[in-house]
Amino acid sequence: MTQARVPLRSDRVLTIVPLLVLAAACWGLVLWRMGGAAGGPGADPGPIGFFTGMWTVMMAAMMLPSLWPTVVVYRRLEAARRARGDYAVRMGPVLLVVGYLGAWTVAGLVGFLVLTAGRALDIDGLSWDRGGPLLAGGVIVAAAVYQLTPLKDACLRHCRGPFSFLLEHWRPGTLGAARMGVRHGVWCIGCCWALMAALFALGVMSIPWMTAIAVLIAVEKLLPWRRVATTFVTVALLVLGLAVALVPERVPGLMAPGGPATHEMNMSIGPPAAWAPRSGPNPETCLPR
């Protein structure tokens, strides 16, 4: 029994350590690229090219620490196929991760379009000094309500049961590994999209809120006591949503749009030309406020 356990433990270490190192590197890249600034609700996400790249890095930082059970099970199934003499994809774990992040990249683009459309409408009643906190808090409360739905429960079962997921959706070969990664990513999006909507409401480029949402995702997916984990996440979202809606000034780390840190972030996430007017200077913008 001892000899049988050693490869399993070694296999787990060889999977978890690279994923955690990659996630840490992505966190470092996000911190460096954002310059330590905290973007508040509705902050400018920057040009679509910048957002797509940063969103993918953000997803790697936030999601890879909770993806390791699926990658471990995949490696073990591939090792078993190799032992039987069947074809096994040596780069399969990498392709699985790439497909998974690809699904999240597409989801991020959808969020980008929604956020951009909302900013373009420029509804005065939803500005932060009017109905903005109610809107942001309502999105977070809606995320708490989604926690209680059958769809959330079904998606979370797939995320927490990598062995059953891979057996049900197994596809051989190189393309099969990437397809399984995409499919697992779709189930994960179904599980976590409301949490990501809450992140958009709190500030999609906010490092503190990225960290908080990543912790909630890890708790929900990795804590052995599933009901305890989902209850904790639901209550946390509900309390946070009500606080943002009713007393936003008392929520730690919540940066009101237009604040100094938000301005700093918007000026650091892309070249100045991205926000420069296409025509000549507008005299009104040069007037002191």
Side-chain angles (χ1 to χ4, degrees):
M1 293 296 294
T2 302
Q3 293 180 350
R5 289 177 183 174
V6 172
L8 295 180
R9 292 178 180 176
S10 175
D11 182 66
R12 179 174 293 190
V13 170
L14 291 175
T15 300
I16 295 176
V17 171
L19 286 176
L20 292 181
V21 169
L22 180 58
C26 289
W27 277 111
L29 180 58
V30 170
L31 288 169
W32 170 76
R33 195 64 183 88
M34 291 296 132
D44 190 347
I48 188 171
F50 167 81
F51 175 85
T52 302
M54 285 308 303
W55 174 264
T56 303
V57 174
M58 286 165 55
M59 289 303 98
M62 296 174 66
M63 309 302 289
L64 290 185
S66 59
L67 183 63
W68 69 261
T70 302
V71 183
V72 166
V73 172
Y74 175 84
R75 288 192 60 177
R76 291 176 179 175
L77 291 175
E78 284 288 84
R81 289 173 57 85
R82 193 176 297 111
R84 294 195 306 266
D86 297 335
Y87 174 74
V89 183
R90 294 192 176 275
M91 293 296 292
V94 175
L95 296 172
L96 188 77
V97 171
V98 169
Y100 176 84
L101 292 177
W104 270 110
T105 299
V106 174
L109 289 174
V110 174
F112 175 87
L113 294 176
V114 173
L115 179 60
T116 303
R119 286 172 55 86
L121 292 175
D122 195 21
I123 302 175
D124 188 57
L126 296 181
S127 60
W128 190 252
D129 57 349
R130 294 193 177 184
L134 289 176
L135 176 61
V139 171
I140 302 170
V141 170
V145 173
Y146 179 71
Q147 292 285 120
L148 308 176
T149 63
L151 178 58
K152 167 71 179 191
D153 184 67
C155 293
L156 184 59
R157 278 203 311 270
H158 279 78
C159 291
R160 289 178 61 95
F163 186 76
S164 58
F165 166 79
L166 288 172
L167 287 183
E168 180 181 354
H169 301 286
W170 184 267
R171 296 291 185 275
T174 301
L175 182 59
R179 288 178 61 188
M180 283 189 290
V182 171
R183 182 163 293 185
H184 186 63
V186 171
W187 281 109
C188 188
I189 292 167
C191 177
C192 301
W193 72 266
L195 285 165
M196 292 303 171
L199 177 60
F200 272 84
L202 292 163
V204 67
M205 295 296 179
S206 169
I207 304 298
W209 290 117
M210 278 178 57
T211 305
I213 296 298
V215 169
L216 293 181
I217 291 172
V219 165
E220 196 168 59
K221 290 187 176 182
L222 300 178
L223 200 69
W225 310 283
R226 176 180 173 180
R227 185 164 296 181
V228 173
T230 54
T231 301
F232 171 79
V233 174
T234 302
V235 172
L237 288 172
L238 181 60
V239 172
L240 177 60
L242 292 175
V244 171
L246 302 177
V247 284
E249 69 280 358
R250 297 189 179 182
V251 178
L254 184 64
M255 177 62 61
T262 304
H263 177 73
E264 179 186 348
M265 183 199 70
N266 287 338
M267 295 306 294
S268 66
I269 61 177
W275 288 272
R278 296 182 181 275
S279 58
N282 186 350
E284 293 182 0
T285 62
C286 302
L287 295 177
R289 298 183 180 274

